Amino acid sequence: MRAGGGGGREAALLLVLIAACCGFLLVLLNLPDGRSLPGVPGAGAGSGGERTGGAHVSVKEVADTNADSSSLEGQTDEIAADVDERISRSPSGTKEKLWMMQDQLIMAKAYLQFASPHGSSHLVRELKLRVKELERVINHISSSFRVPMSALQKSRAMEMTLSKAQRAYPHCSLMTAKLRAMTHQSEELVRAHRSESAFLEQVAVRTLPKGHHCLAMRLTSEYFLLDPNERDFPQRYTMQMGSFYHYAIFSDNVLASAVVVNSTISASKDPKRIMFHIVTDALNFPAMMMWFLTNPPNPATIRIKSLDHLKWLPADFTSRFKQKGIRDPRYTSALNHLRFYLPEVFPSLNKLLLLDHDVVVQRDLTALWEINMNGKVNGAVETCTSGDGYHRLENIVNFSDPSILDKFDAKACICAFGLNIFDLMEWRKQGVTATYNKWFQAGKRRRLWKAGSLPLGQLVFYNQTAPLDHRWHVLGLGHDRSIGREEIERAAVIHYSGKLKPWLEISIPKYRDYWNNFLNYDNPYLQQCNIHR
């Protein structure tokens, strides 16, 4: 089936053919651009340059339903899509003529599909001949920049043949029924393909790439081959804990964590004062340790913990976020919810910068520690702009529930996660962790927000967030293809929020190098696991 506008145009033109054969249908069909179709007198007189919309009936479907027309499958779906693409790049005048010839082809094949077995065999042969001639003409012209006179002659010959077919075809009601059935079938196929595409995208999002799985397995096996005395980082602190800039990363992805660490060090003006705190799950802890033991983030300092090391966490912590019907790991990950326990995870710290593992740091971030948060707990970028209704609280939180309606403003702007500076002293003073536990338990009893930790975080940090300048944090590189290069390159942190993560093959190609630049693909582990740019 042709993709996009090409498929919709064919079905619409077939319906126009019904109107031409049955005059009373013309008004009902209500053509969107009213253009005149070749060989169909009285069907309207428009510009002729625009392609119409609607459902798609592919050439192959027409041919398959009629063995007599099997010779007309000259354009496969792939070839047709390629021709459409080449035509769309043609100059305006050439493009209009080529679309007109494509329309003639569609009509001719429709007449052949519904030709009566008792009708004129001479007309059928003539239509087949004109189809082959016009297909050759289109394939040739779509790669050039002008329409030769011989091509126009072929088009006029086709127009005359179509006029004969129009006069000869008597079964308008039968044709109407069949075309409607074909249109319905095509729409069903489109829906099925879209559903399949969405499913495959979810599989790609949830499945660890083969190379990453290999890397985790290789790192884990080598970690357990180390002498127990070699399984930790050397204690080389020369400063008090309060003298460091503390960065936290909660992740189960080794390479993603490596990019955050590498990019932060690269952008820092004083990397020796950076201390990274990585928290991962028990399964990935050995691999994470082995990677940073063999690739130490000098001159910065690093500490790595497993969730299992946090003995104060509830026994069901790693499983309590599973929800029926929700399989996306972004929404069910215990590591995403660990951010609501920061003072307990880091009891000796008073301030902390939390980075998601799908970010790249491009500017020095130490100025964030100097920002006056005016007694607020969380410093974050707001995601809505003037007049933007999509990124408002009402879109992710259930305001039909009285407990939500009474306490929150539906038009409040959503604040981003991914780059957050937290005042942990103020957090402890205001009991934010208790607020989280209260709302989490309420959400288990009734549906108060959409899946994931972001909506819940908006309630927890409501009126507790100091807005940061938007240049600190640009989001959307995992779903929005319209973000400009200038906006990306002036940002302190870019965030691949969305499903199309930079380590996946389905990622957005033009954003991939911002992430790739902070991995050394000559690393032996990456080479052994066939991980390349």
Side-chain angles (χ1 to χ4, degrees):
M1 182 175 291
R2 291 192 203 175
R9 179 178 59 88
E10 294 186 10
L13 291 173
L14 289 175
L15 293 175
V16 172
L17 177 58
I18 300 171
C21 297
C22 316
F24 68 93
L25 288 177
L26 181 59
V27 177
L28 295 178
L29 288 175
N30 191 20
L31 291 177
D33 62 0
R35 61 175 165 156
S36 175
L37 292 174
V40 187
S47 65
E50 298 295 326
R51 308 180 76 184
T52 57
H56 167 68
V57 179
S58 74
V59 173
K60 189 176 188 305
E61 288 171 325
V62 171
D64 284 345
T65 56
N66 189 338
D68 292 336
S69 301
S70 60
S71 62
L72 299 178
E73 295 181 36
Q75 286 188 358
T76 63
D77 295 338
E78 293 79 6
I79 294 173
D82 180 62
V83 170
D84 277 358
E85 176 67 22
R86 282 185 279 133
I87 291 175
S88 67
R89 296 197 298 266
S90 302
S92 178
T94 301
K95 188 189 303 183
E96 291 179 9
K97 292 182 177 66
L98 289 172
W99 287 149
M100 180 186 69
M101 293 178 193
Q102 288 279 55
D103 294 346
Q104 289 178 323
L105 277 177
I106 294 166
M107 294 178 65
K109 291 173 183 179
Y111 276 126
L112 284 170
Q113 162 66 19
F114 297 105
S116 169
H118 307 294
S120 170
S121 59
H122 173 76
L123 179 58
V124 169
R125 286 196 300 271
E126 185 176 342
L127 278 168
K128 289 181 179 180
L129 174 63
R130 300 294 179 229
V131 166
K132 290 179 180 178
E133 287 177 346
L134 216 55
E135 282 183 344
R136 283 195 293 267
V137 165
I138 291 172
N139 288 330
H140 174 72
I141 298 176
S142 59
S143 60
S144 64
F145 289 90
R146 67 183 187 87
V147 180
M149 183 59 65
S150 60
L152 295 176
Q153 290 172 349
K154 295 286 194 304
S155 178
R156 283 195 289 270
M158 172 64 91
E159 185 172 352
M160 293 176 63
T161 303
L162 288 173
S163 296
K164 293 180 189 177
Q166 180 188 353
R167 291 192 298 270
Y169 191 77
H171 304 295
C172 182
S173 59
L174 176 62
M175 185 175 183
T176 300
K178 286 191 176 182
L179 284 174
R180 285 175 176 163
M182 291 170 65
T183 299
H184 176 74
Q185 181 184 11
S186 297
E187 290 172 343
E188 289 299 314
L189 283 171
V190 168
R191 279 192 285 271
H193 285 309
R194 284 177 178 166
S195 177
E196 180 182 10
S197 176
F199 171 75
L200 292 175
E201 184 180 80
Q202 284 299 320
V203 170
V205 168
R206 297 199 301 264
T207 303
L208 186 69
K210 183 178 179 181
H212 289 235
H213 179 72
C214 163
L215 177 67
M217 295 294 290
R218 193 174 288 272
L219 289 169
T220 298
S221 62
E222 294 201 14
Y223 176 78
F224 286 112
L225 291 175
L226 291 176
D227 184 279
N229 296 324
E230 299 175 333
R231 294 180 187 173
D232 207 350
F233 300 103
Q235 299 297 316
R236 55 180 185 84
Y237 310 131
T238 58
M239 297 180 285
Q240 296 296 318
M241 289 289 282
S243 301
F244 283 102
Y245 296 112
H246 296 273
Y247 294 79
I249 306 162
F250 298 160
S251 174
D252 57 3
N253 187 314
V254 172
L255 290 187
S257 301
V259 167
V260 179
V261 168
N262 294 343
S263 62
T264 303
I265 292 172
S266 176
S268 175
K269 296 177 180 177
D270 193 7
K272 68 178 181 295
R273 292 187 62 191
I274 291 177
M275 179 177 284
F276 293 103
H277 302 267
I278 297 179
V279 183
T280 187
D281 55 26
L283 181 64
N284 289 283
F285 175 76
M288 194 76 75
M289 285 292 297
M290 191 66 195
W291 176 267
F292 287 105
L293 284 169
T294 54
N295 299 276
N298 298 328
T301 304
I302 191 166
R303 287 179 166 183
I304 300 177
K305 290 182 180 180
S306 164
L307 285 173
D308 285 0
H309 298 158
L310 307 176
K311 303 299 184 183
W312 47 267
L313 282 174
D316 67 339
F317 186 76
T318 57
S319 60
R320 61 163 53 180
F321 308 107
K322 308 291 183 185
Q323 297 182 47
K324 186 176 181 180
I326 304 294
R327 297 183 180 179
D328 193 325
R330 295 174 301 156
Y331 299 149
T332 60
S333 170
L335 291 168
N336 278 346
H337 285 261
L338 192 63
R339 72 186 70 190
F340 300 113
Y341 294 90
L342 286 175
E344 290 77 18
V345 179
F346 306 107
S348 61
L349 301 185
N350 293 328
K351 212 161 195 178
L352 179 79
L353 198 151
L354 180 66
L355 295 170
D356 278 4
H357 73 175
D358 54 351
V359 307
V360 172
V361 178
Q362 302 186 127
R363 302 281 183 273
D364 181 76
L365 301 180
T366 53
L368 287 171
W369 269 264
E370 308 303 324
I371 288 176
N372 182 359
M373 296 174 63
N374 297 311
K376 305 295 186 182
V377 173
N378 174 28
V381 166
E382 294 182 333
T383 61
C384 55
T385 55
S386 179
D388 179 5
Y390 179 72
H391 295 285
R392 304 286 175 178
L393 197 57
E394 62 186 346
N395 289 295
I396 59 174
V397 173
N398 178 16
F399 273 88
S400 65
D401 190 285
S403 65
I404 298 291
L405 184 63
D406 294 343
K407 295 181 176 63
F408 301 97
D409 177 8
K411 302 300 180 183
C413 188
I414 294 173
C415 295
F417 284 142
L419 166 71
N420 302 82
I421 183 77
F422 288 105
D423 185 335
L424 300 186
M425 291 182 65
E426 198 66 36
W427 182 311
R428 296 181 184 102
K429 186 188 302 183
Q430 300 196 29
V432 173
T433 301
T435 302
Y436 162 76
N437 285 323
K438 179 191 78 172
W439 282 112
F440 179 77
Q441 294 301 324
K444 288 175 67 176
R445 292 190 294 270
R446 57 194 186 277
R447 193 171 184 97
L448 297 179
W449 51 78
K450 291 185 178 180
S453 60
L454 174 65
L456 178 55
Q458 304 306 309
L459 306 187
V460 173
F461 296 114
Y462 185 76
N463 285 337
Q464 295 289 349
T465 300
L468 302 179
D469 188 289
H470 281 78
R471 287 172 294 183
W472 281 112
H473 186 191
V474 169
L475 298 97
L477 277 73
H479 67 88
D480 186 353
R481 299 174 189 272
S482 67
I483 304 173
R485 180 174 178 177
E486 183 180 348
E487 183 181 4
I488 291 173
E489 294 187 352
R490 74 184 177 197
V493 170
I494 56 175
H495 188 179
Y496 292 81
S497 56
K499 295 183 290 188
L500 310 180
K501 302 301 184 188
W503 53 86
L504 299 175
E505 289 187 9
I506 62 172
S507 63
I508 300 173
K510 67 178 180 177
Y511 302 147
R512 207 173 286 154
D513 279 347
Y514 294 106
W515 192 83
N516 282 333
N517 288 339
F518 293 99
L519 276 183
N520 175 18
Y521 285 93
D522 293 328
N523 182 287
Y525 287 114
L526 303 192
Q527 292 286 316
Q528 291 162 13
C529 289
N530 199 30
I531 299 176
H532 305 290
R533 279 182 178 269

